[in-house]
Amino acid sequence: LIARELPVIPHCTEDALSAKGVNTRVDLMEIESLARERIVREHALAGVTFTSPKTVAVDADVEIGEDTVIAAGVALYGSTRIGARCTVGPNVTATDATLGDEVTVSHAVLTDCRAADRVKIGPFAYLRPGTEVGEGAKIGTYVEIKNSVIGAGAKVPHLSYIGDADVGEGANLGASAITANYDGRQKHRTKIGKGVHTGVHNSFVAPVTIGDDAYTGAGSVIREDVPEEALGIARAPQKNIEGWARRKKHEKPSG
């Protein structure tokens, strides 16, 4: 500029980082690293504990409550809000998620979802957009939830997919619960009432409603509504064929 006889106006700043130029990807990485360190430091000064600060990424608009612990490998993006006295991590990615107070979450992916106070999530859980988890509920290992409301105190503890569903307060879904919500053209909702207990390996073919305090038998494919306080069973009866293994052992191979 001087060589071209153009004006050069100095500008004083107390923040050297804001004046640092970015001309290469290496420059960009250095700036991002410094910015992350600054954000983490600000949260730490406000009462948040980071057990492994160099492994954490926190966006500028993220809010974290006092006495919350952020473990290694945590990434908090967008407008994520985390309450007080939570334990987040290790290995959690949250984008535009809202967590209440005293929430525990580990090894999980949370996207555009909400969890109330004292919820437990993970390990290895996936909460997708539109999910709302009520106070004191549990979302356990290898559980995926999408566009569903999980009532207060309800439990979805193991190996389940819950999509487009309303699960009542205090319900307990057995391992491998599946809501079959898509008929090939459109999505349908499953409604599971308060205090319901479902057996292991249950599929719920939506639209379907399970009434309050009802039970469903293990291995059932529930296609019809189950009334309140009823037991719904939908499976083929077991058949035992005596001596089958002995005869099979002595069969001659075909061909």
Side-chain angles (χ1 to χ4, degrees), residues 92-125:
V92 171
T93 299
T95 305
D96 300 327
T98 299
L99 307 182
D101 296 337
E102 300 177 10
V103 172
T104 300
V105 52
S106 67
H107 300 279
V109 176
L110 315 176
T111 304
D112 195 16
C113 59
R114 301 174 64 89
D117 297 347
R118 291 178 291 282
V119 167
K120 295 182 179 180
I121 302 170
F124 309 111

Side-chain angles (χ1 to χ4, degrees), residues 163-167 178-181 187-193 198 202-211 216 220-227 232 234:
D164 300 296
D166 300 293
V167 178
I178 304 294
T179 58
N181 56 329
K187 303 291 179 68
H188 301 278
R189 290 195 79 79
T190 297
K191 296 182 179 180
I192 298 174
T198 71
N202 276 187
S203 295
F204 302 92
V205 183
V208 69
T209 297
I210 314 300
T216 59
S220 293
V221 178
I222 303 296
R223 299 181 178 89
E224 300 178 0
D225 293 351
V226 179

Side-chain angles (χ1 to χ4, degrees), residues 1 12-13 22-23 27 32 50 52 61 67-68 77 88-89 91 108 114 150 194 196 230 243 247 253:
L1 294 176
C12 295
T13 178
V22 176
N23 300 302
D27 293 340
E32 288 181 341
F50 294 87
S52 183
D61 292 333
D67 292 328
T68 284
Y77 298 132
V88 180
N91 301 321
R114 301 174 64 89
I150 309 300
K194 298 178 181 179
V196 167
R247 293 193 298 273

